Amino acid sequence: MALIGFGYAGRVFHAPLIAATPGLSLVVIGSHQRERATAAYPGVEVVADPLAAVRHHAVDLAVIATPNDTHAPLAEEALRAGKHVVVDKPFTVTLAEARALVATAAGAKRVLSAFQNRRWDSDFLGIARELAAGRIGEVVELRSEISRYRPQIRDRWRERAGPGAGLWYDLGPHLIDQALVLFGPPETVHADLQVQRSGGSAIDWFQAVLGYGRTRVILASSMMAADPPTRFLVRGTKGSLTKRGGDPQEDQLVAGMKPGSPGWGCDPDPLLFVAGDGSAPAELRTPAGDYLSYYASIRDAIRGEGKPPVTPAQATTVMAVIEAGIQSSDEGRVVRQDYTASERSAWEPAME
């Protein structure tokens, strides 16, 4: 494997997960941070040129964890060089780029996937489990929020104006992907994307309402949330389900915990179920998060033993919703997005 990019995503998420997955071997890192990369992975070759990394003769699979506007061109180069490809979210910057990349992968007969690790968050796994079991009946409303308190703008590309920058491209793909796993592509998108911090130039607040008949899914994120927000609130015909705290795996990775070690992904914060019949609220155990499942499934897909954990058509559907949200916010109206037949059908197995 080659890992292109050794910033936060590459260093904190991808490299440790790759190293902990049997059957995967990191042999090349494409980064200008030679000393940092070599210190962390002394046996791995480090090259400054990302194109040299994705074309490396010893590489079967390239992971693109670079600034968002470079995802599509680097992934295309890797595919044309005969490599399988994983692209960190967002998959691309535009829907047109996403669909073109999928066509390139199909022509090259190579595995292509987007890194949507939050499908294996403890909180989401718990919510998905309970909805599948029918505990709250028919869902009429789901609220999903990841917010932080960062009032000071940091000098990094994610927080400066530019293609693919801002919260809608950073956390939006995660929240959208989780919603699509549960409910499939929405019929309508109504989004409000704003810059709230003084001196800001990139989106740092959003709220998006995805419409599914009478059901509404509300996605939100803010960089000005000093209060700890509720991660999930789901209301249904038989009761409501709440998850206060979020998944621990990112904090564990930042702290240097090895993925898969004792305590990995364990979430002590329970789900709370409130039944509509007036009975006492019930605490439900939260399953452990499991980011390692993503790369294990990528390995198996390359071996021909299954589909990618996030398929190309699923990745493009997320980009369709991203674009619909931008259009909705710009025009101040509800948008009905068009999906291809493959994008619509891509979610049926995920929702079973």
Side-chain angles (χ1 to χ4, degrees):
M1 295 182 65
L3 172 59
I4 320 304
F6 203 67
Y8 186 82
R11 183 180 72 255
V12 174
F13 286 95
H14 293 281
L17 293 172
I18 292 167
T21 304
L24 300 183
S25 176
L26 183 61
V27 296
V28 180
I29 295 174
S31 175
H32 290 287
Q33 301 186 52
R34 174 179 294 276
E35 291 185 5
R36 193 173 198 177
T38 300
Y41 299 93
V44 175
E45 182 180 353
V46 181
V47 298
D49 182 2
L51 293 179
V54 299
R55 296 169 180 161
H56 197 283
H57 67 90
V59 168
D60 303 303
L61 169 63
V63 178
I64 312 300
T66 52
N68 296 345
D69 59 350
T70 67
H71 286 185
L74 285 175
E76 182 177 2
E77 285 293 333
L79 289 167
R80 295 192 183 284
K83 316 302 184 185
H84 305 286
V85 177
V86 166
V87 186
D88 200 275
K89 58 78 201 166
F91 188 49
T92 55
V93 172
T94 69
L95 178 57
E97 284 181 338
R99 288 174 173 165
L101 199 60
V102 170
T104 300
K109 297 182 179 179
R110 289 295 180 265
V111 170
L112 173 65
S113 183
F115 183 64
Q116 287 287 4
N117 57 300
R118 288 193 179 275
R119 288 191 188 185
W120 293 272
D121 274 359
S122 58
D123 45 62
F124 179 70
L125 291 173
I127 292 293
R129 178 193 68 197
E130 298 305 320
L131 296 193
R135 187 181 292 272
I136 67 169
E138 180 188 351
V139 176
V140 296
E141 178 183 335
L142 182 145
R143 295 177 178 267
S144 171
E145 179 175 353
I146 300 178
S147 292
R148 295 153 178 167
Y149 186 61
R150 293 177 182 168
Q152 301 302 318
I153 298 168
R154 293 176 290 179
D155 185 19
R156 58 178 194 156
W157 65 264
R158 294 181 189 276
E159 299 184 51
R160 295 191 296 265
L167 270 188
W168 185 235
Y169 277 98
D170 186 17
L171 293 176
H174 283 313
L175 301 187
I176 292 167
D177 182 75
Q178 290 179 337
L180 269 57
V181 168
L182 295 176
F183 303 105
E187 300 162 9
T188 59
V189 178
H190 192 189
D192 186 4
L193 317 178
Q194 296 295 327
V195 179
Q196 292 192 331
R197 292 180 296 178
S198 177
S201 58
I203 297 300
D204 56 18
W205 180 94
F206 69 76
Q207 178 168 290
V209 181
L210 311 186
Y212 299 87
R214 67 170 181 166
T215 300
R216 291 294 180 266
V217 173
I218 300 98
L219 311 177
S221 185
S222 171
M223 297 292 268
M224 295 292 289
D227 56 303
T230 297
R231 178 65 186 88
F232 282 103
L233 169 61
V234 195
R235 294 178 173 131
T237 54
K238 295 181 180 179
S240 296
L241 195 61
T242 303
K243 180 67 170 71
R244 292 287 304 176
D247 178 89
Q249 291 173 95
E250 181 172 356
D251 288 343
Q252 290 175 335
L253 286 166
V254 169
M257 179 182 282
K258 181 179 178 181
S261 59
W264 173 257
C266 292
D267 185 345
D269 179 59
L271 286 77
L272 183 67
F273 171 62
V274 178
D277 60 9
S279 57
E283 290 189 350
L284 309 174
R285 180 189 61 82
T286 302
D290 186 16
Y291 289 168
L292 284 170
S293 285
Y294 178 86
Y295 271 114
S297 295
I298 285 291
R299 174 201 62 208
D300 294 346
I302 291 173
R303 290 173 173 172
E305 299 171 358
K307 294 193 303 183
V310 180
T311 68
Q314 290 174 348
T316 59
T317 317
V318 171
M319 291 311 305
V321 177
I322 290 284
E323 282 207 350
I326 294 171
Q327 181 184 358
S328 173
S329 185
D330 287 347
E331 299 177 2
R333 66 180 181 89
V334 175
V335 169
R336 289 184 177 273
Q337 182 61 284
D338 292 327
Y339 308 101
T340 66
S342 63
E343 289 162 3
R344 286 190 178 278
S345 63
W347 299 91
E348 292 172 1
M351 293 182 290
E352 288 179 355

